[in-house]
Every structure is written in C-alpha cells, then in structure tokens.
Amino acid sequence: MAPVSHTLSLSLLPFSKTLVSKPSLCAFPCRASSTPPPPPPPPAAESEGAGAAAPTRGEVFLEMQRSSAAAAQIMKDYKRQEDYRERKKKRKEKKLVRAKVASNVACCYGCGAPLQIEERDAPGFVEPETYELKKRHHQLKTVLCGRCRLLSHGHMITAVGGHGGYPGGKQFISAEELREKLSHLRRDRVLIVKLVDIVDFNGSFLSRVRDLAGGNPIILVITKVDLLPRDTDLNCVGDWVVQAVVRKKLNVLSVHLTSSKSLVGITGVISAIQNEKKGRDVYILGSANVGKSAFISALLKTMAKNDPAAEAAQKYKPIQSAVPGTTLGPIQIEAFVGGGKLYDTPGVHLHHRQAAVVHANDLTALAPQSRLKPRYYPVPAINGLTRDANNGLNGCSLFWGGLVRIDVIEGPKTTRLTFYGPRRLQISTVPSNEADDFYQKEVGLTLTPPTGKDGSETWPGLEAVRQLQIKYTKQNGPTCDIAISGLGWISVEPFGLPAGEDYDDEEDTGELHLAVHVPKPVEVFMRPPLPVGKGAESWYQYAELSEKEEESRPKWFY
C-alpha cells in the first residue's frame, strides 16, 4: 500500500481559513504548530525608476528661489568689491593729479599764490623778465611775488573778499574759495596742527574744525602767550585751556602753550609732531591772522639746529604780515628728513570776527603789538576812586573804540570791569542816557576804528545787542569774562572795588545786568575768567577730577 502523504493542500481541507487564522486552544501543541514558520520571501528586485520620491513642484520652486538669491548675493558682493576698487583707484588718481598740479604750477613761496605776469596788482605777479629768467634756470620755486614784497615792508594789502573777507581794498579771492582749498584734508591721511590765538581764544578756536580735518589726529597749539600780562602763571592758563577744550568736546592729542617770538613751547610741539607724524604730511591749520606763518618760522628755526632739511627750508619760508589773509594757497615746505612734508595753509576766514567788519586800513589797530596791560574801570586814583560813590558804574556806558559799547544797567556798586586788548582802542565812559548822541558825534574821531569821515559814513554801527544776566556770589577774583570775537575780552568783577561804609551785606549774591553792543555779525561770548596777571593763582580754581577723568584729559605743555 502506498504511503499517505501528510502534505495536504489547504484548499482541500474544510474550515482551513478558521484553522489558519485562529490559534489552537490545545494545552499541548500539535505537530503542525511545532513546525517552524517558513522563511520570509526574498525581497523583490527593485524595478527600474523606484527609490526616493521625486521632488514636488513646491520644492523645485523653493530651490530655484534659493539659487537665485545666492547668485544675487554673489553678484552684489562682487559689485561692492568692484566699486571699492574703483573708488580707491579714483582717490589715488585724484591725489596724483593734485600732486602733479602742485608740482607743475609754480607758486610764490611767500603766500602760495600761483605766479602770473598779466595783472600787476593781483597776488602772484612777477615781472615777465624775472619770470622767464627763473623759468629758464628752473628756479621758479625761489620767486617772491610783488604783493609779498610790499607786505614784508609793512604795506596793508588785502586780497580776500566774500563771506568772512575784508571790506575795502581789492578782493582777488573769496573766503569760500580759500576754504575749499582745504577740503581734501578730511579725505587724506595727515596730521593736523591746529593754532588758536590766546588773546582771541573763542573767536579763533574753530569749533567746527572737524569739518575740515575729518578724523585726522589734532595737536592743539596756543599761540601768542608772550602777549599775556606780566606775572601770569602759565600753569593756571594751561589748565584753563584744557578745561575749555573738554567743554567744547574736541578730541586732541595734546595742548601746547607757545610763543613764536620767544620760542616758548616750540620744542615740545616739535617733539609731539615727530612722535605722531608716522610718515604723514603735517598741515598747520587755523583761523586768519592766528600766527601760522610766524609759528612755522619759529618751528624751522628751532628744528634747524638738528635737522639739515629744516635749515635749508628757512631760506624760503612763508611771509609774515599783520594782514589777515596773507597766505592764499597751501605752501609746501621740505622740513623733515624722515618723510612727510610740512604745509602752511590759508587762514580760515570767519565772518563773526571784528576783522570781517572793519575797513582794511584799520586792521592793524586790532592786533596787539606788545604785552597786554589791564585797563580798569572805574579808574583807580591815588586818593580813592574816580566813581560815583552811590551807584558805581550803574547807569554808565563804556565805549571800546567804535567797536564795542557796554551798558551797566544794574549791579553792585563795587563792580569793576577790566579790559584786555589792543592799546590803540581808546576807552570812554559816559552816562547811558547820553551814549547814543555821544557815539554819533565821536565815531570816527575819538571812537576809532572806524577811522576818518569816510569810514564812519559807511560804518553800519553797533546794531547787535546782547543782554547778559551774570549771577555772582561773594568771591575773590572775577566772576566771568566777556570775550569779543576778534578783539579781546573784558573781565567782570562784581566785588573788584573796596566797599564803602554804606555797603549792604545782602549784595553778596545777585545778578549783574549788562548790555553789550557790537556790529551785527560779531559774536559775544561769556566764559569762565582767564587767569592772567599777578595774583590770578590765588583765585583760580583747578578742576577736581577722578583718576579716570585725569587720564582721559589731554596733557598740556609749555
């Protein structure tokens, strides 16, 4: 009998679906359940085109957007680099053009004006024969123009007009054109030496010097300290200047008190320039008639002891003159052996100074020629004081030449005003109710400048009036200074005179009311008192500073 096969087709068994889908409830596993499960079927071979799902249309769009943005950014960066290279190239070409023009155009070594042979009265004029001879021998850099020759002999020849220029005389160039010649400084890498006149500190300070200098480092030089009254303590003056610089928020490397006449402080300036120059050109910058050319002459004289280049440069140095606007263009001076050049520059002409309103013939009257001497009002007398014992200066008007009028409206009877400025300007005192008539009668005669009948007829008068309310307390020394731009200053002492028997202690504090009349463009400044003269160190108060503030303040030298 043939053996029976145990392999049955599930399709032949009844209820095969139930047997397969339900587990056995038997306690002992049956033989069929002990059979191991069949191995899993081998994975089917991947058909062609199967795998990761294809990107959707949205994903394709986003990828295109990212690619476009990346390409745009690359082009933007490339264009920025190209623009930078182009700007750098243009700056370099412009600098080369300026250097080429400066080297090709021969200028007067005294004033910087281009040499010319057409207009005899204009700056830079040279006789045609002299010009051709010097040109043939390549010596045009050694030529002094006719105007400079006249200036060196004391003639007053102005050349600058426009806003900030000088009325009267011939005007060949405007103050704006001179300022434009300095516009390249804010783009170039240079060292600035800024000059300020101590007699006209506020008027010549150039508060907006950064418009010209840009971010270049600045060394601040205070000139004409030899004009300060005798027995002045320069330690007090130096601290006063530094405090003023800090208040004006001007960042400078150092401050130097100098005199081009006595050479005080010049060595310190040379040392500062050598330390900070670092191969850069050095530009002497300042307002008109601040003493730039005289300072350069003193600089070269001191440097010539150790520097052969400075010694050679002394032969052809800028001309010195009392006329504002003597220098009409940058003057290059080969003063340094180790690289970099020294430049004298045209003065910055400011419309708010007295020199901008007086006639050219009166400019010399504004410049002090010798050491300042204080002039006190009321005037001390041998046996007392020449003043009204009841009112002091109250109700009086004081005229400083024809340029300034001060009305003392109200204040303590012990008030004293001290004038510091050019001696040529006479000071006159009259009752305030007679001041207008007195001025109309005496302007151009005893009240000068303006000088003469012609000058007084065209004189606009003292049109601007500034009311000053000066708070004071009982203290030793002045309360404040009243600085007149381009002229000098008046020191105000509410208790400058000895008190009489009828003095009231209640006047120890209060207000002093003054009215200051000046020509319309001229500015009036009220400032802390400048410590000058004998005894100033007794009342001057040094600033109390922390160590951090002391370190941040610029150091001063003399």
Side-chain angles (χ1 to χ4, degrees):
M1 183 175 177
V4 180
S5 175
H6 294 280
T7 303
L8 298 176
S9 175
L10 294 177
S11 59
L12 300 177
L13 294 174
F15 311 108
S16 60
K17 185 175 182 181
T18 305
L19 292 175
V20 172
S21 60
K22 290 186 178 182
S24 174
L25 299 178
C26 175
F28 299 97
C30 63
R31 187 173 182 178
S33 63
S34 63
T35 303
E46 292 185 3
S47 59
E48 187 177 356
T56 63
R57 294 178 62 187
E59 291 173 339
V60 172
F61 176 78
L62 290 177
E63 186 63 26
M64 291 177 61
Q65 291 294 319
R66 293 192 193 99
S67 300
S68 300
Q73 184 63 37
I74 292 173
M75 292 300 296
K76 188 175 180 180
D77 294 342
Y78 178 77
K79 186 176 180 181
R80 187 183 297 115
Q81 293 177 1
E82 285 294 313
D83 291 343
Y84 172 76
R85 295 191 192 97
E86 188 68 22
R87 288 197 303 269
K88 189 175 180 180
K89 183 179 178 181
K90 286 183 179 179
R91 283 199 300 267
K92 188 174 181 180
E93 291 176 351
K94 191 178 292 184
K95 193 171 183 179
L96 291 174
V97 168
R98 284 201 304 266
K100 186 175 180 180
V101 170
S103 61
N104 290 341
V105 177
C107 297
C108 169
Y109 73 81
C111 66
L115 297 178
Q116 50 91 15
I117 58 176
E118 288 82 14
E119 194 172 353
R120 180 173 295 273
D121 294 334
F125 175 78
V126 183
E127 294 292 343
E129 298 81 5
T130 303
Y131 183 87
E132 292 299 329
L133 179 63
K134 294 292 184 180
K135 182 179 180 180
R136 191 180 309 119
H137 292 87
H138 305 284
Q139 296 178 343
L140 288 177
K141 291 184 178 181
T142 66
V143 175
L144 193 68
C145 73
R147 173 177 175 266
C148 286
R149 295 183 184 276
L150 293 175
L151 289 173
S152 64
H153 288 84
H155 293 265
M156 302 297 293
I157 306 174
T158 59
V160 182
H163 193 58
Y166 308 100
K170 293 190 175 182
Q171 301 172 357
F172 298 97
I173 190 170
S174 68
E176 293 82 358
E177 290 173 322
L178 287 182
R179 199 174 292 114
E180 184 60 29
K181 292 185 177 184
L182 304 175
S183 61
H184 67 92
L185 294 180
R186 60 176 171 262
R187 299 187 298 270
D188 296 344
R189 184 175 173 270
V190 300
L191 175 64
I192 302 294
V193 179
K194 175 188 170 184
L195 270 56
V196 177
D197 184 353
I198 189 62
V199 179
D200 184 27
F201 183 85
N202 295 81
S204 64
F205 190 81
L206 292 181
S207 297
R208 299 181 62 182
V209 67
R210 287 296 178 189
D211 292 348
L212 295 173
N216 287 307
I218 295 176
I219 297 174
L220 181 63
V221 174
I222 308 300
T223 62
K224 306 181 183 179
V225 297
D226 57 292
L227 295 178
L228 294 177
R230 293 187 184 278
D231 302 319
T232 295
D233 187 349
L234 292 184
N235 290 302
C236 298
V237 175
D239 186 77
W240 183 91
V241 170
V242 170
Q243 289 191 44
V245 172
V246 172
R247 284 195 301 270
K248 292 178 180 292
K249 299 180 180 180
L250 177 64
N251 185 21
V252 298
L253 299 174
S254 56
V255 177
H256 301 263
L257 306 183
T258 67
S259 167
S260 301
K261 184 177 181 181
S262 64
L263 303 184
V264 168
I266 299 297
T267 303
V269 179
I270 295 173
S271 178
I273 290 175
Q274 295 291 2
N275 291 336
E276 301 294 341
K277 183 164 66 70
K278 300 175 183 177
R280 293 175 290 194
D281 293 335
V282 180
Y283 281 79
I284 310 300
L285 191 67
S287 60
N289 215 30
V290 78
K292 294 183 297 300
S293 298
F295 172 76
I296 288 177
S297 179
L299 206 67
L300 295 176
K301 183 177 180 179
T302 305
M303 292 172 60
K305 299 175 183 178
N306 302 312
D307 192 338
E311 184 178 7
Q314 284 192 99
K315 189 174 181 180
Y316 303 107
K317 58 188 177 184
I319 197 74
Q320 300 179 39
S321 170
V323 179
T326 298
T327 305
L328 300 177
I331 302 175
Q332 178 180 308
I333 304 170
E334 302 285 347
F336 306 116
V337 174
K341 296 178 178 60
L342 179 66
Y343 286 87
D344 189 8
T345 62
V348 180
H349 298 262
L350 305 171
H351 71 284
H352 60 71
R353 304 178 75 191
Q354 289 281 8
V357 297
V358 302
H359 194 275
N361 297 332
D362 295 325
L363 288 174
T364 53
L366 303 181
Q369 302 298 322
S370 58
R371 189 182 293 274
L372 299 178
K373 287 187 177 181
R375 290 187 280 177
Y376 303 102
Y377 286 85
V379 181
I382 297 176
N383 298 319
L385 298 165
T386 58
R387 64 184 177 95
D388 187 341
N390 294 322
N391 296 319
L393 286 176
N394 288 339
C396 293
S397 294
L398 294 87
F399 288 94
W400 198 358
L403 303 178
V404 182
R405 167 184 164 184
I406 299 177
D407 298 336
V408 183
I409 299 173
E410 185 180 4
K413 63 184 180 181
T414 55
T415 298
R416 180 172 69 178
L417 303 181
T418 307
F419 291 73
Y420 295 93
R423 298 184 189 178
R424 297 187 186 184
L425 272 67
Q426 179 180 337
I427 299 176
S428 305
T429 306
V430 297
S432 296
N433 55 6
E434 303 174 7
D436 292 337
D437 294 337
F438 177 79
Y439 186 77
Q440 293 296 329
K441 180 181 177 181
E442 298 297 332
V443 65
L445 301 176
T446 60
L447 302 180
T448 58
T451 305
K453 183 178 292 185
D454 294 339
S456 60
E457 287 178 355
T458 59
W459 179 247
L462 308 178
E463 299 174 334
V465 182
R466 180 170 178 186
Q467 303 290 337
L468 301 180
Q469 300 282 351
I470 302 171
K471 294 183 179 181
Y472 64 86
T473 58
K474 185 67 177 293
Q475 63 179 15
N476 182 25
T479 296
C480 68
D481 286 344
I482 301 172
I484 310 298
S485 182
L487 186 61
W489 76 95
I490 303 106
S491 179
V492 180
E493 296 180 80
F495 302 97
L497 301 176
E501 297 179 357
D502 57 344
Y503 176 74
D504 187 359
D505 290 339
E506 294 180 357
E507 294 183 350
D508 284 356
T509 60
E511 281 190 348
L512 175 62
H513 186 191
L514 304 177
V516 182
H517 305 246
V518 291
K520 196 167 188 178
V522 175
E523 289 191 7
V524 178
F525 304 93
M526 196 164 66
R527 69 187 189 192
L530 178 62
V532 296
K534 187 176 182 179
E537 63 273 10
S538 64
W539 56 259
Y540 179 72
Q541 296 180 353
Y542 288 89
E544 297 182 1
L545 303 172
S546 63
E547 291 184 3
K548 185 177 181 181
E549 291 173 332
E550 186 66 35
E551 291 177 359
S552 63
R553 291 204 333 165
K555 302 298 184 291
W556 65 270
F557 308 89
Y558 71 90

